[in-house]
Short mmCIF file of all heavy atoms in Angstrom, two decimals:
data_model
loop_
_atom_site.label_atom_id
_atom_site.label_comp_id
_atom_site.label_asym_id
_atom_site.label_seq_id
_atom_site.Cartn_x
_atom_site.Cartn_y
_atom_site.Cartn_z
N MET A 15 2.31 -12.77 10.71
CA MET A 15 1.02 -12.32 11.19
C MET A 15 1.09 -10.82 11.48
O MET A 15 1.75 -10.35 12.40
CB MET A 15 0.66 -13.10 12.48
CG MET A 15 0.59 -14.61 12.25
SD MET A 15 0.11 -15.56 13.71
CE MET A 15 -1.60 -15.07 13.87
N CYS A 56 1.76 -3.70 8.98
CA CYS A 56 2.81 -2.93 9.66
C CYS A 56 2.95 -3.34 11.09
O CYS A 56 2.61 -4.46 11.44
CB CYS A 56 2.58 -1.42 9.50
SG CYS A 56 1.36 -0.76 10.61
N VAL A 78 7.90 -12.16 18.22
CA VAL A 78 8.04 -10.87 17.57
C VAL A 78 9.49 -10.73 17.15
O VAL A 78 10.39 -10.87 17.98
CB VAL A 78 7.63 -9.70 18.50
CG1 VAL A 78 7.89 -8.36 17.80
CG2 VAL A 78 6.17 -9.79 18.89
N ALA A 99 14.18 11.37 -6.58
CA ALA A 99 14.64 11.25 -7.97
C ALA A 99 13.51 11.45 -8.99
O ALA A 99 13.74 11.26 -10.18
CB ALA A 99 15.27 9.89 -8.17
N PRO A 105 6.00 0.85 -2.13
CA PRO A 105 6.73 0.25 -0.99
C PRO A 105 6.27 -1.16 -0.65
O PRO A 105 7.04 -1.91 -0.06
CB PRO A 105 6.41 1.23 0.16
CG PRO A 105 5.16 1.94 -0.24
CD PRO A 105 5.20 2.03 -1.75
N PHE A 115 10.02 -11.89 1.96
CA PHE A 115 10.53 -13.05 1.23
C PHE A 115 12.03 -12.96 0.97
O PHE A 115 12.55 -13.57 0.06
CB PHE A 115 9.74 -13.23 -0.07
CG PHE A 115 8.31 -13.60 0.18
CD1 PHE A 115 7.32 -12.64 0.19
CD2 PHE A 115 7.96 -14.91 0.44
CE1 PHE A 115 6.01 -12.96 0.44
CE2 PHE A 115 6.63 -15.27 0.72
CZ PHE A 115 5.65 -14.29 0.71
N GLY A 126 15.34 -23.70 10.23
CA GLY A 126 14.80 -25.00 9.91
C GLY A 126 13.37 -25.02 9.43
O GLY A 126 12.78 -26.11 9.26
N PHE A 127 12.79 -23.85 9.18
CA PHE A 127 11.43 -23.84 8.61
C PHE A 127 11.50 -24.14 7.09
O PHE A 127 12.53 -23.90 6.45
CB PHE A 127 10.79 -22.47 8.83
CG PHE A 127 10.41 -22.19 10.26
CD1 PHE A 127 11.28 -21.53 11.10
CD2 PHE A 127 9.18 -22.58 10.73
CE1 PHE A 127 10.92 -21.29 12.43
CE2 PHE A 127 8.80 -22.35 12.05
CZ PHE A 127 9.69 -21.71 12.89
N ALA A 191 -13.20 -15.96 10.31
CA ALA A 191 -12.42 -15.52 11.47
C ALA A 191 -13.27 -15.52 12.75
O ALA A 191 -12.81 -15.93 13.81
CB ALA A 191 -11.84 -14.13 11.22
N GLU A 192 -14.51 -15.08 12.60
CA GLU A 192 -15.40 -15.04 13.72
C GLU A 192 -15.74 -16.43 14.24
O GLU A 192 -15.77 -16.72 15.44
CB GLU A 192 -16.70 -14.26 13.39
CG GLU A 192 -17.52 -13.88 14.60
CD GLU A 192 -18.48 -12.75 14.29
OE1 GLU A 192 -18.61 -12.38 13.11
OE2 GLU A 192 -19.08 -12.25 15.26
N ALA A 211 2.52 7.89 9.39
CA ALA A 211 1.58 7.80 10.49
C ALA A 211 0.24 8.49 10.20
O ALA A 211 -0.81 7.97 10.51
CB ALA A 211 2.19 8.36 11.78
N ASP A 212 0.30 9.69 9.62
CA ASP A 212 -0.93 10.47 9.40
C ASP A 212 -1.45 10.38 8.00
O ASP A 212 -2.45 11.03 7.65
CB ASP A 212 -0.71 11.93 9.78
CG ASP A 212 0.40 12.58 8.96
OD1 ASP A 212 0.98 11.90 8.09
OD2 ASP A 212 0.74 13.75 9.24
N ASN A 221 9.35 16.69 5.35
CA ASN A 221 10.07 16.64 6.62
C ASN A 221 11.46 16.02 6.46
O ASN A 221 12.39 16.38 7.19
CB ASN A 221 9.28 15.86 7.66
CG ASN A 221 8.08 16.63 8.18
OD1 ASN A 221 8.04 17.87 8.12
ND2 ASN A 221 7.10 15.93 8.67
N GLY A 258 -2.93 28.95 -10.50
CA GLY A 258 -3.85 30.05 -10.55
C GLY A 258 -4.37 30.34 -11.93
O GLY A 258 -5.49 30.84 -12.09
N ASP A 271 5.13 15.50 -16.08
CA ASP A 271 6.56 15.19 -15.90
C ASP A 271 7.06 15.84 -14.63
O ASP A 271 6.58 16.91 -14.22
CB ASP A 271 7.34 15.70 -17.10
CG ASP A 271 8.82 15.29 -17.02
OD1 ASP A 271 9.09 14.07 -16.93
OD2 ASP A 271 9.68 16.17 -17.02
N LEU A 292 7.18 1.68 -23.05
CA LEU A 292 8.00 1.99 -21.90
C LEU A 292 9.21 1.10 -21.87
O LEU A 292 9.25 0.04 -22.51
CB LEU A 292 7.21 1.88 -20.58
CG LEU A 292 6.62 0.55 -20.20
CD1 LEU A 292 7.61 -0.42 -19.56
CD2 LEU A 292 5.45 0.74 -19.23
N PRO A 304 11.94 -14.91 -20.21
CA PRO A 304 11.43 -15.10 -21.60
C PRO A 304 12.56 -14.96 -22.62
O PRO A 304 13.53 -14.21 -22.39
CB PRO A 304 10.44 -13.95 -21.76
CG PRO A 304 10.08 -13.51 -20.37
CD PRO A 304 11.29 -13.77 -19.55
N GLU A 322 -3.06 -5.41 -22.92
CA GLU A 322 -2.19 -6.26 -23.77
C GLU A 322 -0.94 -5.53 -24.18
O GLU A 322 -0.97 -4.34 -24.53
CB GLU A 322 -2.95 -6.68 -25.01
CG GLU A 322 -2.19 -7.70 -25.86
CD GLU A 322 -2.98 -8.20 -27.07
OE1 GLU A 322 -2.91 -7.54 -28.11
OE2 GLU A 322 -3.63 -9.25 -26.95
N ARG A 341 -2.87 5.28 -19.78
CA ARG A 341 -2.75 6.64 -19.24
C ARG A 341 -2.11 6.66 -17.86
O ARG A 341 -2.34 5.80 -17.02
CB ARG A 341 -4.16 7.26 -19.17
CG ARG A 341 -4.19 8.67 -18.63
CD ARG A 341 -5.49 9.36 -19.06
NE ARG A 341 -5.52 9.64 -20.50
CZ ARG A 341 -6.53 10.22 -21.15
NH1 ARG A 341 -7.59 10.60 -20.48
NH2 ARG A 341 -6.47 10.42 -22.45
N ALA A 344 3.91 6.04 -14.55
CA ALA A 344 4.98 6.82 -13.92
C ALA A 344 6.24 6.01 -13.72
O ALA A 344 6.17 4.84 -13.28
CB ALA A 344 4.50 7.37 -12.57
#
Side-chain angles (χ1 to χ4, degrees):
M15 301 182 70
C56 79
V78 176
F115 293 96
F127 289 92
E192 194 160 9
D212 58 3
N221 286 337
D271 186 58
L292 62 79
E322 186 177 86
R341 182 159 290 180

